[in-house]
Amino acid sequence: MKKTRNTRQRGVILDILQETREHPTAEKIYQDARRVIPNISLGTVYRNLNFLQDQGLVREIRPCDGGSTRFDGVLDSHAHFHCTRCGALLDISLPQGFEQLQLNKMDGISMISSIDLHIIGECSNCSEEGSGSTH
Amino acid sequence: MKKTRNTRQRGVILDILQETREHPTAEKIYQDARRVIPNISLGTVYRNLNFLQDQGLVREIRPCDGGSTRFDGVLDSHAHFHCTRCGALLDISLPQGFEQLQLNKMDGISMISSIDLHIIGECSNCSEEGSGSTH
DNA sequence: GTAATTGCAAAAGATTTGCCCCATT
DNA sequence: AATGGGGCAAATCTTTTGCAATTAC
């Protein structure tokens, strides 16, 4: 297999993802990265995100309610909560009993590599504000 | 609120979605619909998919592994299995005990409207075929 | 008759890719 | 020096939208 190089761009992108729990989009990562490497290009960001995903260092989350792909650099197992009002995408702990679910041998499944749990609803912030605000 | 009309296009699209468990993409629905209404347009398909979603008659599934949005017209609660080899997206039953999970009051969540469970792995078909095939 | 809906084509986004140059090893 | 990776811009793909014509009610 071919050798990979440690470029500044790649390092910065990975750092950004590992230091936030905001699940940024590629565009947001691009903007953050430009504060460090002003002439980094969006194409490079995408190429590295794909690369890091292939390496298993990062994973992508596709918001259930449309919008662009977001990325997650925190690999502890956790679920995601999507707020339909403000669009927030939050890490949440796996519900009690989740690990014990009978997951194997279901239907036509022969091997499970990962399980994604997405909870869609309203976050406390939005609910506290009554029915008006959109963020 | 404004009145809605029962157009042939809308009916055909809904039928297609309710009669399959294949979770077609908009493009696939468009192709199927053209066999019935040869000059239906892709724009109409998208407009109706969004409309049907707003009505709660259909929901969209965003494949975790990229690719375009797929649609589901079967509303019984079920989970989805994504095969990383052949790309199949299958309905599966919710695992035992799933309904009893402690889901409320977690972290900053104040209201839950739906829960999506996606299982990623390999389907039996692909595994039986050994390690070669891509479908 | 009226307004919701369609078809078509253009526009808008998001992501990928080709090409040539630069920088890591 | 060799070649993986970057920058830039064009290309691709998916989805949305404006508008005039059509059709359900």
Side-chain angles (χ1 to χ4, degrees), chain B residues 3 5 13 17 20 41 45 48 57 63 66 71 73 84 89 103 106:
Chain B
K3 256 178 235 172
R5 289 181 189 176
I13 291 168
L17 274 166
T20 182
S41 82
V45 171
N48 276 301
L57 294 170
F71 294 86
T84 51
L89 179 51
L103 284 166
M106 279 197 301

PDB file of all heavy atoms in Angstrom, chain B residues 3 5 13 17 20 41 45 48 57 63 66 71 73 84 89 103 106:
ATOM      1  N   LYS B   3     -55.371  24.487   0.350  1.00  0.00           N
ATOM      2  CA  LYS B   3     -55.914  23.191  -0.054  1.00  0.00           C
ATOM      3  C   LYS B   3     -54.910  22.376  -0.865  1.00  0.00           C
ATOM      4  O   LYS B   3     -54.111  22.925  -1.602  1.00  0.00           O
ATOM      5  CB  LYS B   3     -57.144  23.417  -0.935  1.00  0.00           C
ATOM      6  CG  LYS B   3     -58.451  23.156  -0.201  1.00  0.00           C
ATOM      7  CD  LYS B   3     -59.593  23.451  -1.145  1.00  0.00           C
ATOM      8  CE  LYS B   3     -60.542  24.453  -0.517  1.00  0.00           C
ATOM      9  NZ  LYS B   3     -61.567  24.915  -1.454  1.00  0.00           N
ATOM     10  N   ARG B   5     -54.389  19.168  -3.669  1.00  0.00           N
ATOM     11  CA  ARG B   5     -55.128  18.461  -4.719  1.00  0.00           C
ATOM     12  C   ARG B   5     -54.591  17.057  -4.915  1.00  0.00           C
ATOM     13  O   ARG B   5     -53.415  16.806  -4.722  1.00  0.00           O
ATOM     14  CB  ARG B   5     -55.002  19.224  -6.039  1.00  0.00           C
ATOM     15  CG  ARG B   5     -55.786  20.495  -6.012  1.00  0.00           C
ATOM     16  CD  ARG B   5     -55.659  21.206  -7.334  1.00  0.00           C
ATOM     17  NE  ARG B   5     -56.237  22.529  -7.208  1.00  0.00           N
ATOM     18  CZ  ARG B   5     -56.224  23.427  -8.169  1.00  0.00           C
ATOM     19  NH1 ARG B   5     -55.668  23.147  -9.329  1.00  0.00           N
ATOM     20  NH2 ARG B   5     -56.771  24.597  -7.984  1.00  0.00           N
ATOM     21  N   ILE B  13     -46.596   8.421  -7.096  1.00  0.00           N
ATOM     22  CA  ILE B  13     -45.377   8.443  -6.279  1.00  0.00           C
ATOM     23  C   ILE B  13     -45.613   7.779  -4.929  1.00  0.00           C
ATOM     24  O   ILE B  13     -44.808   6.968  -4.467  1.00  0.00           O
ATOM     25  CB  ILE B  13     -44.873   9.895  -6.114  1.00  0.00           C
ATOM     26  CG1 ILE B  13     -44.359  10.407  -7.456  1.00  0.00           C
ATOM     27  CG2 ILE B  13     -43.792   9.989  -5.041  1.00  0.00           C
ATOM     28  CD1 ILE B  13     -44.096  11.901  -7.497  1.00  0.00           C
ATOM     29  N   LEU B  17     -43.964   4.164  -3.372  1.00  0.00           N
ATOM     30  CA  LEU B  17     -43.281   4.073  -2.084  1.00  0.00           C
ATOM     31  C   LEU B  17     -43.944   3.112  -1.121  1.00  0.00           C
ATOM     32  O   LEU B  17     -43.287   2.492  -0.290  1.00  0.00           O
ATOM     33  CB  LEU B  17     -43.172   5.450  -1.445  1.00  0.00           C
ATOM     34  CG  LEU B  17     -41.949   6.192  -1.916  1.00  0.00           C
ATOM     35  CD1 LEU B  17     -42.015   7.657  -1.547  1.00  0.00           C
ATOM     36  CD2 LEU B  17     -40.709   5.562  -1.289  1.00  0.00           C
ATOM     37  N   THR B  20     -43.170  -0.878  -2.080  1.00  0.00           N
ATOM     38  CA  THR B  20     -41.850  -1.481  -2.120  1.00  0.00           C
ATOM     39  C   THR B  20     -41.208  -1.391  -0.747  1.00  0.00           C
ATOM     40  O   THR B  20     -41.597  -0.561   0.066  1.00  0.00           O
ATOM     41  CB  THR B  20     -40.939  -0.760  -3.136  1.00  0.00           C
ATOM     42  OG1 THR B  20     -39.675  -1.419  -3.169  1.00  0.00           O
ATOM     43  CG2 THR B  20     -40.710   0.686  -2.739  1.00  0.00           C
ATOM     44  N   SER B  41     -41.963  14.841 -14.452  1.00  0.00           N
ATOM     45  CA  SER B  41     -40.616  15.407 -14.366  1.00  0.00           C
ATOM     46  C   SER B  41     -39.987  15.139 -13.003  1.00  0.00           C
ATOM     47  O   SER B  41     -40.673  14.939 -12.002  1.00  0.00           O
ATOM     48  CB  SER B  41     -40.651  16.905 -14.637  1.00  0.00           C
ATOM     49  OG  SER B  41     -41.009  17.596 -13.480  1.00  0.00           O
ATOM     50  N   VAL B  45     -41.246  14.960  -8.900  1.00  0.00           N
ATOM     51  CA  VAL B  45     -40.974  13.883  -7.958  1.00  0.00           C
ATOM     52  C   VAL B  45     -40.407  14.460  -6.663  1.00  0.00           C
ATOM     53  O   VAL B  45     -40.899  14.171  -5.574  1.00  0.00           O
ATOM     54  CB  VAL B  45     -40.000  12.856  -8.561  1.00  0.00           C
ATOM     55  CG1 VAL B  45     -39.554  11.849  -7.503  1.00  0.00           C
ATOM     56  CG2 VAL B  45     -40.647  12.139  -9.731  1.00  0.00           C
ATOM     57  N   ASN B  48     -43.034  16.381  -4.713  1.00  0.00           N
ATOM     58  CA  ASN B  48     -43.998  15.535  -4.039  1.00  0.00           C
ATOM     59  C   ASN B  48     -43.385  14.754  -2.894  1.00  0.00           C
ATOM     60  O   ASN B  48     -44.042  14.528  -1.874  1.00  0.00           O
ATOM     61  CB  ASN B  48     -44.668  14.597  -5.036  1.00  0.00           C
ATOM     62  CG  ASN B  48     -45.820  15.278  -5.721  1.00  0.00           C
ATOM     63  OD1 ASN B  48     -46.757  15.720  -5.064  1.00  0.00           O
ATOM     64  ND2 ASN B  48     -45.752  15.399  -7.034  1.00  0.00           N
ATOM     65  N   LEU B  57     -46.476  11.106   5.451  1.00  0.00           N
ATOM     66  CA  LEU B  57     -46.842   9.862   4.769  1.00  0.00           C
ATOM     67  C   LEU B  57     -45.616   9.076   4.330  1.00  0.00           C
ATOM     68  O   LEU B  57     -45.706   7.919   3.914  1.00  0.00           O
ATOM     69  CB  LEU B  57     -47.703  10.174   3.543  1.00  0.00           C
ATOM     70  CG  LEU B  57     -49.067  10.782   3.867  1.00  0.00           C
ATOM     71  CD1 LEU B  57     -49.738  11.291   2.602  1.00  0.00           C
ATOM     72  CD2 LEU B  57     -49.933   9.737   4.561  1.00  0.00           C
ATOM     73  N   PRO B  63     -28.512   7.466   3.865  1.00  0.00           N
ATOM     74  CA  PRO B  63     -27.562   6.364   4.018  1.00  0.00           C
ATOM     75  C   PRO B  63     -26.311   6.860   4.735  1.00  0.00           C
ATOM     76  O   PRO B  63     -25.768   7.897   4.368  1.00  0.00           O
ATOM     77  CB  PRO B  63     -27.218   5.958   2.584  1.00  0.00           C
ATOM     78  CG  PRO B  63     -28.114   6.716   1.689  1.00  0.00           C
ATOM     79  CD  PRO B  63     -28.806   7.756   2.455  1.00  0.00           C
ATOM     80  N   GLY B  66     -22.936   7.770   2.746  1.00  0.00           N
ATOM     81  CA  GLY B  66     -23.007   8.645   1.604  1.00  0.00           C
ATOM     82  C   GLY B  66     -24.066   8.184   0.619  1.00  0.00           C
ATOM     83  O   GLY B  66     -24.869   7.317   0.917  1.00  0.00           O
ATOM     84  N   PHE B  71     -36.022   6.950   0.244  1.00  0.00           N
ATOM     85  CA  PHE B  71     -37.325   7.219   0.832  1.00  0.00           C
ATOM     86  C   PHE B  71     -38.023   5.943   1.259  1.00  0.00           C
ATOM     87  O   PHE B  71     -37.836   4.878   0.655  1.00  0.00           O
ATOM     88  CB  PHE B  71     -38.170   8.029  -0.145  1.00  0.00           C
ATOM     89  CG  PHE B  71     -37.610   9.397  -0.388  1.00  0.00           C
ATOM     90  CD1 PHE B  71     -36.630   9.595  -1.360  1.00  0.00           C
ATOM     91  CD2 PHE B  71     -38.015  10.482   0.374  1.00  0.00           C
ATOM     92  CE1 PHE B  71     -36.072  10.852  -1.564  1.00  0.00           C
ATOM     93  CE2 PHE B  71     -37.464  11.739   0.179  1.00  0.00           C
ATOM     94  CZ  PHE B  71     -36.494  11.921  -0.792  1.00  0.00           C
ATOM     95  N   GLY B  73     -41.790   4.453   2.481  1.00  0.00           N
ATOM     96  CA  GLY B  73     -43.224   4.675   2.578  1.00  0.00           C
ATOM     97  C   GLY B  73     -43.905   3.710   3.531  1.00  0.00           C
ATOM     98  O   GLY B  73     -45.134   3.691   3.630  1.00  0.00           O
ATOM     99  N   THR B  84     -22.483  -2.683   3.922  1.00  0.00           N
ATOM    100  CA  THR B  84     -21.360  -1.911   3.394  1.00  0.00           C
ATOM    101  C   THR B  84     -20.769  -2.535   2.142  1.00  0.00           C
ATOM    102  O   THR B  84     -19.975  -1.912   1.455  1.00  0.00           O
ATOM    103  CB  THR B  84     -20.227  -1.805   4.436  1.00  0.00           C
ATOM    104  OG1 THR B  84     -19.930  -3.119   4.913  1.00  0.00           O
ATOM    105  CG2 THR B  84     -20.650  -0.949   5.599  1.00  0.00           C
ATOM    106  N   LEU B  89     -30.083  -1.491   1.571  1.00  0.00           N
ATOM    107  CA  LEU B  89     -30.657  -0.836   2.740  1.00  0.00           C
ATOM    108  C   LEU B  89     -31.916  -1.617   3.063  1.00  0.00           C
ATOM    109  O   LEU B  89     -32.874  -1.613   2.299  1.00  0.00           O
ATOM    110  CB  LEU B  89     -30.966   0.618   2.386  1.00  0.00           C
ATOM    111  CG  LEU B  89     -31.599   1.505   3.452  1.00  0.00           C
ATOM    112  CD1 LEU B  89     -30.838   1.444   4.760  1.00  0.00           C
ATOM    113  CD2 LEU B  89     -31.633   2.950   2.959  1.00  0.00           C
ATOM    114  N   LEU B 103     -35.169   6.478  27.378  1.00  0.00           N
ATOM    115  CA  LEU B 103     -34.770   7.492  26.410  1.00  0.00           C
ATOM    116  C   LEU B 103     -35.026   8.919  26.849  1.00  0.00           C
ATOM    117  O   LEU B 103     -34.396   9.842  26.393  1.00  0.00           O
ATOM    118  CB  LEU B 103     -35.432   7.228  25.062  1.00  0.00           C
ATOM    119  CG  LEU B 103     -34.761   6.078  24.312  1.00  0.00           C
ATOM    120  CD1 LEU B 103     -35.616   5.625  23.161  1.00  0.00           C
ATOM    121  CD2 LEU B 103     -33.400   6.518  23.793  1.00  0.00           C
ATOM    122  N   MET B 106     -32.643  12.324  28.967  1.00  0.00           N
ATOM    123  CA  MET B 106     -31.206  12.234  28.754  1.00  0.00           C
ATOM    124  C   MET B 106     -30.683  13.624  28.453  1.00  0.00           C
ATOM    125  O   MET B 106     -31.342  14.415  27.807  1.00  0.00           O
ATOM    126  CB  MET B 106     -30.885  11.331  27.576  1.00  0.00           C
ATOM    127  CG  MET B 106     -30.913   9.867  27.957  1.00  0.00           C
ATOM    128  SD  MET B 106     -30.061   8.928  26.720  1.00  0.00           S
ATOM    129  CE  MET B 106     -31.040   9.352  25.288  1.00  0.00           C
TER     130      MET B 106
END
